[in-house]
Amino acid sequence: MFRSVGALIGDVLAVMLFVIIGLFQHGQEMSAQNMFLVGWPFLVGVLIGHLAIRSWRAPFRLWPHGVFIWAITVVCCMAIRTLFSAGTETSFVVVTAIVTGVLMLGWRAVALFLTRGERLQVIDLSSAASAESVEDSPADPRS
């Protein structure tokens, strides 16, 4: 439960970092209003992506969860921006796809690296349990 919320927060922070960088690069005022006006299509995209892929099953997984959430986020954001005539020039779409991809998949890669020990322990425990069940099984009656 906490990991899935953490994954959602990680993606929200990634797209908001992209929004903040964009506002800064374009010389716009760094206000909560500007951040909301530019960022809400991205946040809707992130939420739709998490719900569509059911990210709570494996929140830090890069493939397919992370890639699909990123792709759904970009597509939804661009669709919303098109509906509201907010601008979807080709260069903006390309930059958005690249930067959000690096940010959204990048934090997942770091999270996977930092939690690799936990996954190895789970694998060790499951292999030990399966080895015990093989040893405890009755002998073959044909022998």
Side-chain angles (χ1 to χ4, degrees):
M1 172 67 181
F2 291 114
R3 285 187 178 206
S4 59
V5 172
L8 179 62
I9 290 171
D11 286 335
V12 166
L13 291 175
V15 296
M16 289 312 293
L17 178 62
F18 173 72
V19 168
I20 290 168
I21 291 169
L23 290 173
F24 180 74
Q25 286 295 320
H26 291 283
Q28 295 182 359
E29 181 184 349
M30 203 67 58
S31 66
Q33 181 181 5
N34 279 348
M35 288 173 38
F36 176 77
L37 288 174
V38 175
W40 78 266
F42 290 97
L43 298 177
V44 170
V46 165
L47 185 59
I48 290 172
H50 275 263
L51 292 173
I53 198 70
R54 294 184 292 197
S55 67
W56 54 87
R57 294 181 298 164
F60 294 161
R61 186 179 290 169
L62 282 171
W63 176 259
H65 292 74
V67 172
F68 285 146
I69 291 169
W70 161 71
I72 291 168
T73 299
V74 172
V75 169
C76 287
C77 175
M78 294 307 146
I80 291 169
R81 288 179 63 89
T82 300
L83 287 173
F84 287 94
S85 301
T88 53
E89 293 79 16
T90 304
S91 60
F92 176 70
V93 174
V94 169
V95 168
T96 299
I98 292 170
V99 175
T100 57
V102 167
L103 293 173
M104 292 175 76
L105 299 176
W107 79 257
R108 276 189 171 77
V110 170
L112 282 172
F113 178 76
L114 294 176
T115 60
R116 70 191 181 283
E118 294 173 18
R119 288 189 314 280
L120 291 175
Q121 288 176 350
V122 171
I123 292 170
D124 288 344
L125 291 176
S126 64
S127 63
S130 64
E132 287 176 7
S133 65
V134 170
E135 290 173 2
D136 293 339
S137 63
D140 187 17
R142 292 178 281 162
S143 39

